Amino acid sequence: MWEAANGVWEAWEELNKIVLSPSPHTPPLPTLCLFQQTLHKINKYSKSMTPRPSTPWIYRWSRHAIGAVASIGLVETAFLTAVEFAGSAADVCPTSSCKEVLESPYATVFGLPLTLFGFIAYASMALLALAPLAIAPERNQQLRSTLEKNTWLPMFALGTAMLVFSINLMYLMLFKIDALCPYCIVSALLSVTLFVLTLICRDWEDVGQLFLTGTLVVMATAIAVLGVYANVDDSVASPLRTATGETTLRSPKSETKGGETGPPIINISGASEIALAQHLNDIGTKEYGAYWCPHCHEQKELFGKEAFSLINYVECDAKGNNARPQMCKAAGISGFPTWEIKGKLYAGVQSLEKLAEISGYSGPSDFHYPFPYR
């Protein structure tokens, strides 16, 4: 800046010398030509004083921001997925409505926890955003530039898909499950943030291509979501082993005049299961559950059809058969299934060995069906 100012000052002094004190040995220049030369020199130095336009900060830090937001979602979904595979994600829910959401049929896709698919989505977004930053520009500027250019559209497409899925999840919680999950709300906010960042953090040259990509992704995601959840209330046909080692298929849920009952129990009870169930009934044990709860059905299959018919089962959903939601509320039930044995509550699916131990059962214990969460 000081160099440019000095240049202007020198041009001004030169003009004074020529105009006010012309040399007798130098022929006078035409006034117009003199001013043109001087103004040209002033203009030359003035241009050097004009600051170059800088890249907006949001463009410079866009990938860092997207990577940070995706990493938060990655940690959340990784935690919930690990807990679900270890037992039940509902066990770490801070509210009863959260447990209701995570134990609903909508919390699994193709037999896998929905959080696993969320983990994959967040991990993919973080990889797309941060991969170019791992390449030092002084070492391979061309590769870094190529990655930065070619990963923006996939990030936008993924962000759009996550937004559509989050909108659907919020709809399910508000109008289908009638309960809210804090983890799901946080994930939805993260998805909205990622979509906005991928949209505004780049100077998109071809807006038409962006609009077309977004439209196709919205349509494809909506169709996929509708297809996955079209028959969510029906049981997925899956093999179950009976006490005799035979394999059968679980049929869709049945419905009675008194309300919905969920999928039928397929496993056949052995003598030990029946003896334990009779013992639990004799000492006044209750099991609280809901017809739609997949973990409740797992508990039923551990006993088998004949044995579970002896259990004092309390249906907590008002839409279920012989529903007694007020009894569940009075007992302080916050998740399903929950056992009440000798005045104490035990949440989650329990192995028959544990039920025998805490209830004081001393009969035969050669139970046929393995506990699914060992």
Side-chain angles (χ1 to χ4, degrees), residues 308-329:
F308 192 79
S309 64
L310 302 174
I311 296 295
N312 185 6
Y313 174 76
V314 181
E315 174 61 51
C316 295
D317 193 299
K319 297 179 181 179
N321 186 40
N322 298 324
R324 291 176 284 178
Q326 294 303 322
M327 181 181 294
C328 301
K329 184 177 181 180

Side-chain angles (χ1 to χ4, degrees), residues 194-221:
L194 289 174
F195 170 76
V196 172
L197 289 176
T198 57
L199 182 63
I200 69 172
C201 288
R202 176 177 171 80
D203 186 14
W204 296 96
E205 298 177 358
D206 193 344
V207 179
Q209 182 190 27
L210 187 69
F211 178 79
L212 178 61
T213 301
T215 302
L216 293 176
V217 171
V218 168
M219 294 174 61
T221 306

Side-chain angles (χ1 to χ4, degrees), residues 49 54 73 158 172 194 228-229 256 296 300 308 316 322 324 338 362:
M49 297 175 63
S54 60
L158 180 57
L172 292 175
L194 289 174
V228 168
Y229 289 130
T256 67
C296 298
K300 295 175 183 177
F308 192 79
C316 295
N322 298 324
R324 291 176 284 178
T338 295
S362 58

Side-chain angles (χ1 to χ4, degrees), residues 169-254:
L169 182 59
M170 294 302 297
Y171 166 79
L172 292 175
M173 287 194 296
L174 292 173
F175 300 104
K176 294 288 187 179
I177 308 174
D178 195 22
L180 292 176
C181 171
Y183 297 123
C184 304
I185 294 175
V186 170
S187 182
L189 292 175
L190 293 176
S191 297
V192 172
T193 303
L194 289 174
F195 170 76
V196 172
L197 289 176
T198 57
L199 182 63
I200 69 172
C201 288
R202 176 177 171 80
D203 186 14
W204 296 96
E205 298 177 358
D206 193 344
V207 179
Q209 182 190 27
L210 187 69
F211 178 79
L212 178 61
T213 301
T215 302
L216 293 176
V217 171
V218 168
M219 294 174 61
T221 306
I223 293 173
V225 168
L226 291 175
V228 168
Y229 289 130
N231 299 315
V232 70
D233 290 330
D234 295 334
S235 298
V236 178
S238 58
L240 290 172
R241 187 170 56 84
T242 66
T244 59
E246 298 175 351
T247 301
T248 183
L249 291 178
R250 180 178 298 161
S251 59
K253 72 175 184 181
S254 58

Side-chain angles (χ1 to χ4, degrees), residues 20-327:
L20 301 179
S21 303
S23 172
H25 305 289
T26 304
L29 295 173
T31 304
L32 180 59
C33 180
L34 170 65
F35 274 98
Q36 285 179 341
Q37 292 178 357
T38 305
L39 290 175
H40 176 72
K41 193 169 185 179
I42 293 175
N43 184 54
K44 175 182 176 181
Y45 286 102
S46 297
K47 286 182 178 180
S48 65
M49 297 175 63
T50 304
R52 295 180 180 179
S54 60
T55 304
W57 67 269
I58 196 171
Y59 291 176
R60 296 197 305 269
W61 294 98
S62 57
R63 289 184 175 273
H64 300 81
I66 293 172
V69 174
S71 297
I72 295 174
L74 187 149
V75 171
E76 181 197 32
T77 51
F79 168 71
L80 292 175
T81 302
V83 173
E84 178 64 25
F85 280 127
S88 174
D91 293 340
V92 296
C93 279
T95 64
S96 58
S97 61
C98 172
K99 293 182 179 181
E100 190 172 345
V101 172
L102 294 184
E103 289 181 339
S104 72
Y106 299 100
T108 57
V109 177
F110 305 124
L112 297 173
L114 186 61
T115 53
L116 175 61
F117 296 92
F119 170 79
I120 295 173
Y122 284 118
S124 300
M125 181 67 80
L127 180 62
L128 289 171
L130 300 178
L133 301 181
I135 302 175
E138 59 272 10
R139 293 183 179 179
N140 200 332
Q141 178 64 42
Q142 183 178 0
L143 177 59
R144 174 165 176 159
S145 300
T146 301
L147 284 176
E148 288 180 345
K149 179 180 179 181
N150 294 337
T151 52
W152 270 107
L153 194 59
M155 282 196 297
F156 171 75
L158 180 57
T160 303
M162 295 172 69
L163 175 68
V164 173
F165 197 89
S166 295
I167 292 174
N168 176 75
L169 182 59
M170 294 302 297
Y171 166 79
L172 292 175
M173 287 194 296
L174 292 173
F175 300 104
K176 294 288 187 179
I177 308 174
D178 195 22
L180 292 176
C181 171
Y183 297 123
C184 304
I185 294 175
V186 170
S187 182
L189 292 175
L190 293 176
S191 297
V192 172
T193 303
L194 289 174
F195 170 76
V196 172
L197 289 176
T198 57
L199 182 63
I200 69 172
C201 288
R202 176 177 171 80
D203 186 14
W204 296 96
E205 298 177 358
D206 193 344
V207 179
Q209 182 190 27
L210 187 69
F211 178 79
L212 178 61
T213 301
T215 302
L216 293 176
V217 171
V218 168
M219 294 174 61
T221 306
I223 293 173
V225 168
L226 291 175
V228 168
Y229 289 130
N231 299 315
V232 70
D233 290 330
D234 295 334
S235 298
V236 178
S238 58
L240 290 172
R241 187 170 56 84
T242 66
T244 59
E246 298 175 351
T247 301
T248 183
L249 291 178
R250 180 178 298 161
S251 59
K253 72 175 184 181
S254 58
E255 188 173 309
T256 67
K257 187 176 181 180
E260 300 188 46
T261 61
I265 303 173
I266 301 301
N267 287 354
I268 299 173
S269 304
S272 298
E273 286 83 5
I274 294 175
L276 174 61
Q278 185 63 59
H279 167 75
L280 294 173
N281 184 59
D282 292 342
I283 65 173
T285 298
K286 297 183 182 69
E287 185 202 354
Y288 300 90
Y291 70 89
W292 45 260
C293 168
H295 296 300
C296 298
H297 188 75
E298 290 173 345
Q299 186 73 78
K300 295 175 183 177
E301 293 291 357
L302 287 177
F303 279 95
K305 182 177 180 179
E306 295 79 9
F308 192 79
S309 64
L310 302 174
I311 296 295
N312 185 6
Y313 174 76
V314 181
E315 174 61 51
C316 295
D317 193 299
K319 297 179 181 179
N321 186 40
N322 298 324
R324 291 176 284 178
Q326 294 303 322
M327 181 181 294

